[in-house]
Every structure is written in structure tokens, then in C-alpha cells.
Amino acid sequence: MVAIEGLGRLLAEHPFFQDMTPEVRDIVVGCCANAHYRPGEYLFKEGGKADHFYLIRQGSVAVEVHAPGRPAVVVENIGEGDIIGWSWLVPPYVWTFDARAIEQVRAITIDGACLRTKLEANHELGYQLYQRFIPIMGRRISEARLRIVELTTDAVY
């Protein structure tokens, strides 16, 4: 029980959940766990089952994409106070990028399968989560697009 109370406090302190109602936020706590990744470790890999998302508490994560015969390209760096992973929301629940710890990362990992079940039972939870995820998804897609344009322009010249 103490661990859950501690996770509830950490969840409430994270910017993604700060202004969420406590009643709804408390539903999420049951799907949470602490996680730690060393530099070079992967949080997830492209093509893998997307069953979690991550609240970054400390450290930095590189979002990478691969092309055959080329080294990985960093599309974005995610840092403290940010969130990574929305593929757990979208069927078929498969990662489309890699996420690799650049430095030591401490995170709260949230079980997507657990949360999807709770979303079905509590539409207010779903509404509050989607309100937060959709702007992040839009911003990240736009940033990835710009990064790809930048990389292809550099390759041409």
C-alpha cells in the first residue's frame, strides 16, 4: 500500500497529470510502476508490443527510427517532465519507433492494457487522458515531419 501512495504522489507531481482531478488520477495509480533504465537500454523497440507508456522523471530518451543499411536516426529527445509512448492507445498496439535511454532514466511506467480496461469503464478518465495525449501526439508528429524534411534536405545537398 505504501508503494501505491508513493506512486500516487509521483503521478500527481508529473506535469502530464498535475491538473487532472484526484479521483480520476487515483484510478491510474493501480496501473503504475517505477522503472529505471541505464544508458543504452531500450524502453521499447519498433515492432514490439506497445503495452505501456512512460512518464520521464529523470534523464533523457532518444526516439529513433531505422532505415535499412543506415544507422538509427534520432527523431526527438524526450526529457524530464515529459511523456513517451502513445501506441498503446491505437490498435494494433505496436511501437513505430525505438526509445533508448541516453542517460540514466527514472520513469513511471503505466500499463496500457490495464488502463484501456479502465478507460472502457470510466469515460471521464478517457476524456481527461485523450485531452492530454492528443496535443502531444500532434506536436510530435509535426516535429518528426520537420526532422525528416531536415534530414532529407541535408542528404540532397
Side-chain angles (χ1 to χ4, degrees), residues 44-55:
F44 52 83
K45 293 200 72 141
E46 180 180 354
K49 183 179 177 185
D51 52 5
H52 288 82
F53 69 99
Y54 305 83
L55 306 176

Side-chain angles (χ1 to χ4, degrees), residues 115-127:
L115 204 49
R116 283 192 303 268
T117 301
K118 293 182 180 200
L119 292 173
E120 288 295 322
N122 186 314
H123 293 168
E124 179 62 24
L125 171 62
Y127 176 73

Side-chain angles (χ1 to χ4, degrees), residues 56-79:
I56 307 302
R57 296 179 43 231
Q58 175 189 355
S60 184
V61 177
V63 177
E64 301 173 335
V65 65
H66 295 274
R70 301 182 73 181
V73 174
V74 175
V75 178
E76 185 175 11
N77 287 310
I78 307 295

Side-chain angles (χ1 to χ4, degrees), residues 2-3 5 34 40 49 59 71 87-88 95 97 104-105 119 121 126 153 157:
V2 174
E5 288 176 14
N34 272 310
K49 183 179 177 185
S87 294
W88 69 276
W95 295 117
F97 294 96
Q104 177 175 279
V105 171
L119 292 173
T153 303
Y157 295 105

